[in-house]
Amino acid sequence: MEQLYKKEISEYLEELGKELDITKSEHDAIVKSYEAVGDWLSKEASSLNYYSPKILPQGSFMLGTIVKPINPEDDIDIDLVCKLEKKPNSWTQKDLKVKVGDRLKSNSTYDKMLKDYKDGENYNNGGRRCWTLKYSDVAGYHMDILPSFSTDNLTYLFEKTFSASDEIDENDLKRLAIRITDTELDNYDSETDVENWNKSNPFGYAKWFWSKAMTSRVKLFSLNESVDPVRAYQQEKFPLQRVIQLLKRHRDIMFSSDEFDSENKPISIIITTLATLAYDRSENIIDAYSNIVNRMRGLIKDRFNPESGKYEKWVVNPINKEENFADKWSENKQKQDYFYLWLDKLEEDLNNLSNSLGKGQEYLFESFSDMYGEKVSKKVFSNISEKKRILRENGSLKMAIGTGILGSEGVKVKSHNFFGNNNE
């Protein structure tokens, strides 16, 4: 009986994940947009052409863990890397950042997008690390483009690393690292040696993530000459991807309250890292969800910092053991406090969700609304109700004996004309 309840709740959670995710048309529009940016930067007439610029997706778009904002008028944030394979020896971080920005500004459409983002704020210099293109309100997204440099042939490394194999070669992961610009560094406009620039490894992190998320061996990426890797639309997600979407939505709902300073809410990289470390490859969403939440707290470590003489909380970057994703917690105590408050609420809500099993749709709906928002919960329950209506009309709807659970298992339910009004 417990397995039937788990199957039912997993069905609702899967449907919720689909509602939180972007659609195929939205995905395709985003890919088309960043391919166009890549084409513009690399055209033969471009001042960057000689340096082989490429646009590559990173972050939640690459991991398949995007969550639509609670307010439909807010933008989806798409993170991209603009990677150059070579540069003049004299170029500093500032030179790289400015050259990418100048090329974008030379296109009247992109120039307007740069100005439109936050009403032209930082139009001349861009953000701390990125240039941001604000697409129309109808499109519903903006793109953060991170100028970077890598001497390695990333196309070759992608083909080698993002294959059907889920084995990790640490040397290959290290070679996927890129050097990035940062306007707040003292050497931003003086250092020409890229070895002294900040390092980032979003693609090594992605490989680590996929090696943990995959529950079957599949080829995840396809490459082309202009923009690589191009993410194929993934309608069916792995359990880990769905759980991360649910975690991020729960965070967004909790910190949408005026009670909190949303600037200090838990950041996605910490949520994603802890969830991935905690994942036990459970195939069903509710088991994966419960096990991840139960383990996340214990994966936050205490490390002694000899410089401060104090112990600090650590969420280690799995690709760079010396990097602490929670480094801001020691500078801003509210960030740490908020994370633990969120974990407390998450554990409480998940327990309430488990306790609602078998008590009927009203209790289940109440739990969903509290955790993920009433509007999307109504859509989820309506979708499930419609699926059951179709099953019933086709003579395929069954009721599990002793549970009242409607689905594809148990005794066949007779058809009647009022099912659609039951608001399952």
Side-chain angles (χ1 to χ4, degrees), residues 268-360:
S268 293
I269 188 63
I270 292 180
I271 293 174
T272 301
T273 300
L274 290 176
T276 306
L277 288 170
Y279 180 50
D280 60 0
R281 293 186 185 268
S282 294
E283 292 280 354
N284 108 17
I285 296 179
I286 189 60
D287 281 342
Y289 200 175
S290 299
N291 293 338
I292 284 172
V293 171
N294 288 337
R295 295 172 180 172
M296 285 175 72
R297 190 184 298 267
L299 293 169
I300 303 171
K301 304 301 182 182
D302 290 304
R303 282 196 189 181
F304 183 76
N305 184 342
E307 293 184 7
S308 65
K310 299 178 181 179
Y311 280 92
E312 297 176 352
K313 296 296 182 182
W314 265 76
V315 177
V316 67
N317 178 350
I319 306 305
N320 178 7
K321 304 299 183 184
E322 300 305 311
E323 182 178 4
N324 177 20
F325 285 142
D327 59 345
K328 296 293 189 296
W329 289 9
S330 58
E331 302 171 12
N332 185 340
K333 186 66 163 47
Q334 193 174 73
K335 290 183 180 292
Q336 178 177 317
D337 292 343
Y338 276 10
F339 195 89
Y340 282 104
L341 281 173
W342 174 65
L343 279 183
D344 291 342
K345 182 75 164 73
L346 184 61
E347 290 167 355
E348 177 187 347
D349 286 347
L350 200 56
N351 184 60
N352 290 338
L353 182 63
S354 297
N355 290 337
S356 72
L357 298 180
K359 292 183 178 180

Side-chain angles (χ1 to χ4, degrees), residues 12-209:
Y12 280 89
L13 291 173
E14 175 66 26
E15 188 66 29
L16 174 63
K18 292 178 180 178
E19 286 298 321
L20 298 177
D21 207 354
I22 58 174
T23 64
K24 185 177 188 306
S25 61
E26 289 169 330
H27 170 276
D28 292 347
I30 291 168
V31 171
K32 184 177 179 180
S33 293
Y34 76 65
E35 283 184 320
V37 174
D39 289 343
W40 176 253
L41 295 175
S42 61
K43 279 185 180 296
E44 188 174 349
S46 169
S47 58
L48 298 175
N49 172 265
Y50 177 75
Y51 310 112
S52 305
K54 293 182 183 294
I55 290 289
L56 305 99
Q58 62 164 326
S60 59
F61 187 78
M62 191 178 191
L63 302 181
T65 58
I66 280 182
V67 173
K68 289 180 180 178
I70 297 172
N71 183 350
E73 295 182 1
D74 291 341
D75 282 352
I76 297 171
D77 186 4
I78 305 298
D79 294 317
L80 304 172
V81 168
C82 172
K83 191 271 302 180
L84 274 61
E85 291 186 358
K86 46 194 171 184
K87 76 172 186 69
N89 292 332
S90 62
W91 274 16
T92 63
Q93 296 171 61
K94 182 178 180 179
D95 290 320
L96 173 57
K97 178 83 175 293
V98 169
K99 293 295 183 183
V100 172
D102 286 347
R103 178 57 183 172
L104 290 171
K105 292 174 184 177
S106 68
N107 180 303
S108 60
T109 299
Y110 297 146
D111 186 58
K112 183 177 185 304
M113 290 179 177
L114 290 169
K115 290 177 179 175
D116 285 348
Y117 183 66
K118 293 185 177 179
D119 298 323
E121 182 181 345
N122 296 325
Y123 166 74
N124 290 325
N125 301 314
R128 178 178 173 180
R129 299 185 181 93
C130 300
W131 293 100
T132 300
L133 297 178
K134 172 68 174 77
Y135 285 75
S136 70
D137 292 336
V138 175
Y141 55 87
H142 66 259
M143 293 184 172
D144 290 330
I145 300 172
L146 174 68
S148 68
F149 174 77
S150 172
T151 54
D152 281 312
N153 185 330
L154 289 189
T155 300
Y156 164 74
L157 289 174
F158 279 129
E159 290 174 338
K160 180 179 179 181
T161 306
F162 291 96
S163 65
S165 172
D166 60 1
E167 296 178 1
I168 292 181
D169 184 317
E170 291 191 3
N171 290 326
D172 281 344
L173 291 189
K174 290 178 180 178
R175 290 178 64 193
L176 285 169
I178 56 177
R179 300 290 176 164
I180 62 174
T181 69
D182 188 334
T183 60
E184 294 189 6
L185 294 180
D186 292 337
N187 65 0
Y188 172 67
D189 58 0
S190 61
E191 182 59 69
T192 59
D193 185 352
V194 295
E195 293 301 313
N196 296 322
W197 295 12
N198 275 357
K199 183 188 292 186
S200 181
N201 198 347
F203 310 118
Y205 184 93
K207 170 59 181 178
W208 170 79
F209 172 84

